[in-house]
Structures are given as C-alpha cells and as structure tokens.
Amino acid sequence: MTTSKSKQELYDIAGKLFSKKGYHGTTIREIAEARGILSGSLYTHISSKEDLLFHIVDDGAAAFLSALEPIVRGQDDPKTKLKSGLAAHIRVVTTQMDAAKVFLHDWTALGDVRRAQIQEKRDKYEALWSDLLAEGYAKGVFRGGDPKYLRILILSVGNWVYEWYKTSGELTPEGLADEFMAIILNGIATF
Amino acid sequence: MTTSKSKQELYDIAGKLFSKKGYHGTTIREIAEARGILSGSLYTHISSKEDLLFHIVDDGAAAFLSALEPIVRGQDDPKTKLKSGLAAHIRVVTTQMDAAKVFLHDWTALGDVRRAQIQEKRDKYEALWSDLLAEGYAKGVFRGGDPKYLRILILSVGNWVYEWYKTSGELTPEGLADEFMAIILNGIATF
DNA sequence: GTTACAAGCAAGCGATCGCTTGCTTGTAAA
DNA sequence: TTTACAAGCAAGCGATCGCTTGCTTGTAAC
C-alpha cells in the first residue's frame, strides 16, 4: 500500500464511524473532530466525503480478494482449500471489523461509477469461491448440496461474522472456521 | 394488526425507501413524495421520522417471533422443527424483503429506549432457536457441531437471504430451506 | 343546513449538512 | 536567512434537513 500513514489513519477513523453509525449517519464534522481538526481542514486530505467511503470499501474488496486468490490458485486438496478459504475470509472480517462492515454494509451508498467498480470486485470474489467449490465436486471430494447454495451458505456465514463477533474472548478465525467446517463437511444428523 | 390500511401503506412506502437507501439516507420529503403528499402533511400520521422506523422494525421483530414460536413449542421431531423453522425464517425475509432488511440493517439507528426494546425481541428470537437446537441434541437427533455455532450458522444463512434473493425465478422459501438443510444435516464430504 | 374533523396545502422555521475561501503557522530544504 | 509548502484555522456559503404553524377542503354524521 502506498497510502501514507496519516491518510491510513484518517481512513481508520472514518471507517470506525461509518461502521458504527453508517455512512449517511456520520457527518464530516464528526470525522474531523475524531481526528482532532476542524471540518474544513479535512479537505486538505480528501476531495469529498464519498472519497473516504470509496477508499475504505475498495481496500476491503482488495483484502478479501488477495486473501482468497492464492488459496484457490494453489495446489492443496479441495477440502483444505475450503477450510483455508473460510478461515481467510473470517480473518479479514475479524481483523478489520470496521472496514469489513462498511464494505458489506455501506458500499451501496457510492455513486454509480464507483459502485459499479466495487460490484465488479464482488463478482470476482464470488467467482473465486465458485471455482473452489467446483473443483471439489469435480474431484469427487464433495457430494450432495447444490454448489450455488453451498456457496451462498458459506459466504452468508462468513459475512455475518461482523454482526456478532466480539474481539475479546472469542475463537480465532481458524477456530471459527473449524467449527463451521465440521458442520458443513459432516452434517449434524444422526443416522 | 390494528394498524389502519392507510397507515400500513405509509409503513410500506417508508420501508421500501429505508431498505433501498438506508434510514439516514432517506428524507422525509422523499417519503412524502412517494405517498403523493407534501412533507409537512406526513405529520398528520406520524409524530417523527423515527416513529416510522420503529414501527417497521417492531413489526419485523413480531413477524419473526410469531413465525418461529409455534414451531418451537410444537410437537414435531427436532429435525422437522429445524427444517420448518428455517423455512419460516426465510419466508418472513422473502415475503417482506423491505421490512426484513430494515429490521436487520437499520434498527441500530433507533434511539436508546426503542433500540433496547428491539434488542430484547432479538434476544428472545435467538433464545427460541437455542431451545430448538438444544432439544435436538438432547434427544440424540443431532450430533457434532457446537450448538452455539450451529445456531450462528443457521441464522447467518437465514438473515443473509435479503442480500441476494430475487423475487422472480427463485426457489420458494421451503425449497431454499431444503437446499440448506441438505447441507446442514448430511454435510458435503465424501467418506 | 350545520357541525365536526380528518387530511392535506403553503410557507417557512432553526439547525445542520458538505464544502469553499482567504489566511496563518510550523518545518525543512536551499 | 530565505523560500516553499503541507497542514490547519476561522468564517461562512448555499442547500437541505426534520419539523411546525395557520389555514383550506372534502366528507359524513346529525
């Protein structure tokens, strides 16, 4: 990342507020106050409020993509890829809760052009997951379950993490992925 | 529901806009325009913008609770209860997409008192699910999988439906519940 | 025919919104 | 010592926010 330290600090501050109160529920004056400057001074660093949103959301998209891509393109067996992929997704969410929530929650507040850019990256991420699962079915490692709804189930579980995860006293991303994988791989029914 | 027809129509209109643009992203003038009156005239029917939000969110909470409660308190076997419960949840989301999205998305914009009221109903709903799952484990119908994370997985899948469900050409709530249940009960791993 | 009231209009209130402008200041290179 | 510039302040712009007020109108009961 070529983003300077103070710029990143500003994104963190804005992300924290957007995450807590939503993009439209956060004012430029609140962001400036959290930064310790006046609202007008913010415009030395940004050109608009939407700029802040876009950078946060775009960084979030990049984090998800760069975490999953090497796993899908790698050589592990599908079961390992599935577990690693879910753990990677959960790690992105839990280690950047604010940015992840803004990415998942507020990206629709972007204008048409920038929202389309993010939509593209979301589609790309979804396609990576489809590839991962398709490989598992093709190699006979997975059976049953419609691939489409399996993908939806996995991403639902991964995305919803930001709604309930508390940073203290909780399982690690890998631990959480293990819990969910146990259910997804083996099911819960007795025979 | 004792809500008059025209009041409910207003909630529907507001719910649609809140769902699309968020609570803070929707203005009282937009709601009035969608209703075909001037913004000031809205206050013949409501006492504040937050009133609209609260009614929508509170109705949403009631819909989820009243759908799940008879299932949990009923006499079906746990496996049937689980499938019915998930189908009921998905039916609430898919038949009232706007209200469900506002309930899940924008309820935190409520003031302290009313947000606490909704939090209570959310906790109650979650407890119903815990009861349902606990019965399955107690009767030996479910095995493996931490009950806590099983509940989180189920609610994640059910809640995230509003993010991707399209009303046309999609499976019914029961069909979707079948798809997800096949994965959750039997898993996807080959042996 | 009168009364009563729900429903809406027209106008605009004070507050706050995102953002701009003109100016000052601290700092570091030349 | 001078120069240059990034960073921030002070003030306030026009627009829009949620909401209020005083008034009109359609309708239905008596």
Side-chain angles (χ1 to χ4, degrees), chain B residues 29 35-38 40-41 44-45:
Chain B
R29 284 172 176 82
R35 176 66 205 277
I37 58 180
L38 294 184
S41 307
T44 303
H45 309 285

Side-chain angles (χ1 to χ4, degrees), chain A residues 117-135:
Chain A
Q117 289 177 33
I118 300 301
Q119 181 67 62
E120 212 171 306
K121 299 193 178 181
R122 293 173 71 96
D123 292 344
K124 199 171 160 188
Y125 186 69
E126 216 174 276
L128 278 177
W129 271 103
S130 292
D131 290 350
L132 191 159
L133 299 180
E135 185 190 348

Side-chain angles (χ1 to χ4, degrees), chain A residues 31-100:
Chain A
I31 297 170
E33 189 186 16
R35 176 65 207 277
I37 60 179
L38 295 184
S39 68
S41 306
L42 268 184
Y43 291 84
T44 303
H45 309 284
I46 62 171
S47 62
S48 72
K49 185 188 177 188
E50 205 197 281
D51 257 23
L52 282 171
L53 178 61
F54 178 72
H55 275 102
I56 294 165
V57 168
D58 198 47
D59 282 359
F64 282 107
L65 277 170
S66 68
L68 185 60
E69 197 145 28
I71 293 170
V72 175
R73 307 282 178 234
Q75 299 301 327
D76 288 332
D77 68 294
K79 217 186 269 190
T80 303
K81 283 189 180 183
L82 178 51
K83 200 239 149 182
S84 304
L86 182 55
H89 186 105
I90 294 176
R91 192 178 315 111
V92 170
V93 175
T94 56
T95 59
Q96 327 178 34
M97 288 271 279
D98 293 325

Side-chain angles (χ1 to χ4, degrees), chain B residues 3 11 50-60 110 114:
Chain B
T3 308
Y11 296 146
E50 203 198 282
D51 257 23
L52 282 171
L53 177 62
F54 178 72
H55 275 103
I56 294 166
V57 169
D58 198 46
D59 283 359
L110 288 168
R114 288 167 145 182

